């Protein structure tokens, strides 16, 4: 029987929508680990309740709290999970991951070591291709640990593999429910949280020993649509934090768009296979910026 006597009581939050098989397999991967959370909170926004997980009782080592929710959006779902949790250490994972057996222990211990003024994120590797040309976005495979503070030129928080103390959300705030999958700006809820953390003096600690595998279940033909959604979300994130008094976020947006355009032109110059996702990404960013600004003006 698994036990977490050495680790403190911990809540794990996992959110899902209409991906029952992936969700089941992610939960099973976590439960096969060397250590398990004290409670696992599954917030499921699917059309129908999950046949298996909705009746799963858990065990003395890990209580399963399955919540079939009508709310839509990953940010709203994670926030609901935070409110429903009981313990001070919170772990987050996406519903299309496999974990290493020591993932949970390594992540929790890193959270404890980093302390309540930090958020910890771990390594995200590509899983084996499950469809022809399978892709897995949002990969982080650096082998060296890192600590990020202050204003940096990139987004470094991977909320599909993240741990933190509850007090972080009490002080900085929870996920912006206007951003992320399931919303009109379907990405960058993780970038937004990471930026707010760093702006308020928190650290983001990257620990490569906390390893998950992002499953490559999406086909290559889905890549353009995925890049568009990511671009729109990032554009909204940039627009949210832009101001006339501070050029930081504007310069980051320009750098992002410029990088995508230059990558596309480079493929033309060197006669490589055209990568239209670069153009789609840049277009999505600009669209997201404009749409966010228009929406905010309508509400003001």
């Amino acid at each position: 029987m698994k036990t977490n006597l050495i680790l403190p009581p911990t809540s794990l939050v996992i959110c899902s929508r209409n991906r029952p098989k992936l969700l089941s397999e992610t939960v099973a991967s976590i439960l096969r680990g060397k250590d398990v959370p004290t409670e696992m909170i599954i917030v499921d926004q699917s059309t129908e309740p999950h046949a298996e997980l909705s009746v799963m009782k858990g065990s003395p080592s890990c209580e399963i709290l399955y919540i079939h929710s009508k709310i839509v959006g990953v940010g709203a779902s994670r926030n609901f999970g935070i409110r429903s949790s009981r313990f001070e250490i919170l772990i987050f994972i996406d519903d299309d991951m496999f974990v290493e057996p020591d993932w949970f222990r390594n992540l929790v211990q890193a959270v404890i070591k980093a302390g309540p003024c930090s958020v910890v994120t771990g390594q995200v590797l590509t899983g084996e291709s499950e469809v022809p040309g399978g892709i897995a976005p949002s990969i982080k495979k650096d082998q060296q640990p890192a600590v990020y503070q202050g204003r940096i030129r990139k987004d470094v928080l991977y909320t599909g593999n993240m741990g933190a103390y509850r007090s972080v959300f009490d002080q900085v705030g929870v996920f912006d429910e206007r951003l992320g999958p399931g919303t009109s700006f379907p990405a960058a809820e993780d970038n937004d949280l990471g930026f707010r953390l760093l702006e308020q003096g928190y650290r983001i600690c990257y620990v490569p020993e906390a390893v998950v595998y992002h499953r490559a279940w999406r086909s290559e033909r889905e890549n353009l649509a995925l890049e568009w959604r990511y671009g729109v979300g990032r554009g909204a994130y940039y627009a949210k934090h832009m101001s006339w008094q501070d050029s930081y976020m504007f310069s980051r947006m320009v750098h992002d768009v410029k990088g995508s355009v230059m990558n596309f032109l480079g493929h033309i110059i060197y006669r490589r296979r055209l990568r239209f996702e670069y153009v789609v990404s840049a277009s999505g960013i600009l669209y997201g910026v404009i749409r966010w600004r228009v929406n905010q003006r309508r509400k003001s």
Side-chain angles (χ1 to χ4, degrees):
M1 182 178 70
K2 293 181 175 64
T3 178
N4 51 10
L5 293 177
I6 299 176
L7 297 178
T10 305
S11 301
L12 182 145
V13 177
I14 179 171
C15 307
S16 186
R17 178 174 171 80
N18 292 332
R19 303 201 294 216
K21 185 174 184 293
L22 292 173
L23 176 60
S24 288
E25 292 170 349
T26 298
V27 170
S29 177
I30 295 167
L31 295 178
R32 286 195 300 267
K34 294 179 180 178
D35 296 272
V36 294
T38 314
E39 65 174 4
M40 182 187 300
I41 301 167
I42 303 168
V43 183
D44 189 359
Q45 303 175 337
S46 300
T47 307
E48 300 293 334
H50 196 289
E52 174 190 353
L53 297 178
S54 61
V55 296
M56 183 177 286
K57 301 300 183 182
S59 68
S61 306
C62 178
E63 179 183 350
I64 303 291
L65 175 60
Y66 175 87
I67 303 169
H68 185 244
S69 173
K70 294 182 179 180
I71 60 176
V72 176
V74 70
S77 186
R78 286 180 182 144
N79 292 342
F80 192 79
I82 293 170
R83 294 193 299 270
S84 303
S85 63
R86 293 183 292 154
F87 302 114
E88 291 306 306
I89 294 179
L90 302 174
I91 301 297
F92 298 84
I93 189 170
D94 285 345
D95 67 348
D96 55 352
M97 303 287 189
F98 287 141
V99 306
E100 284 285 352
D102 57 358
W103 163 75
F104 183 76
R105 170 175 293 275
N106 289 342
L107 190 56
V108 172
Q109 289 182 333
V111 171
I112 296 169
K113 181 178 179 180
C117 292
S118 300
V119 170
V120 175
T121 189
Q123 190 171 182
V124 184
L125 301 177
T126 304
E128 294 183 3
S129 181
E130 301 180 20
V131 295
I135 60 171
S138 301
I139 299 303
K140 174 75 170 180
K141 55 184 179 180
D142 296 348
Q143 296 301 309
Q144 295 300 317
V147 177
Y148 302 98
Q149 294 178 274
R151 287 195 167 179
I152 55 180
R153 303 297 299 180
K154 58 183 178 179
D155 297 303
V156 296
L157 183 63
Y158 291 75
T159 50
N161 184 10
M162 182 184 84
Y165 282 91
R166 178 185 302 278
S167 59
V168 169
F169 300 101
D170 294 335
Q171 296 299 317
V172 177
V174 292
F175 290 91
D176 188 332
E177 298 183 4
R178 298 170 294 179
L179 298 170
T183 73
S184 299
F185 304 99
E189 82 291 344
D190 47 0
N191 300 340
D192 173 73
L193 177 61
F195 175 72
R196 288 188 283 123
L197 287 165
L198 295 175
E199 285 290 280
Q200 296 194 38
Y202 284 76
R203 305 184 307 165
I204 297 176
C205 301
Y206 170 68
V207 290
E209 61 268 24
V211 179
V212 303
Y213 297 89
H214 198 170
R215 298 176 62 180
W217 59 272
R218 295 177 174 89
S219 66
E220 189 174 11
R221 66 183 179 182
E222 297 178 71
N223 198 32
L224 289 181
L226 189 64
E227 286 297 330
W228 171 259
R229 294 195 296 270
Y230 281 2
V232 172
R234 289 206 310 277
Y237 154 62
Y238 292 140
K240 175 185 175 181
H241 296 289
M242 283 183 196
S243 72
W244 293 109
Q245 295 78 27
D246 187 347
S247 63
Y248 167 76
M249 196 57 78
F250 178 77
S251 68
R252 283 200 55 193
M253 184 270 292
V254 170
H255 183 266
D256 196 351
V257 172
K258 181 180 177 181
S260 293
V261 172
M262 294 304 294
N263 280 329
F264 178 72
L265 293 177
H267 280 73
I268 294 177
I269 293 170
Y270 293 103
R271 298 183 180 180
R272 299 171 182 164
R273 182 172 68 90
L274 291 184
R275 300 286 297 273
F276 290 103
E277 60 264 33
Y278 293 125
V279 175
V280 169
S281 177
S283 301
I285 291 169
L286 296 175
Y287 175 79
V289 169
I290 295 169
R291 186 173 179 181
W292 180 274
R293 291 292 189 179
V294 170
N295 284 1
Q296 295 310 301
R297 286 196 186 117
R298 287 174 178 170
K299 294 177 181 179
S300 61

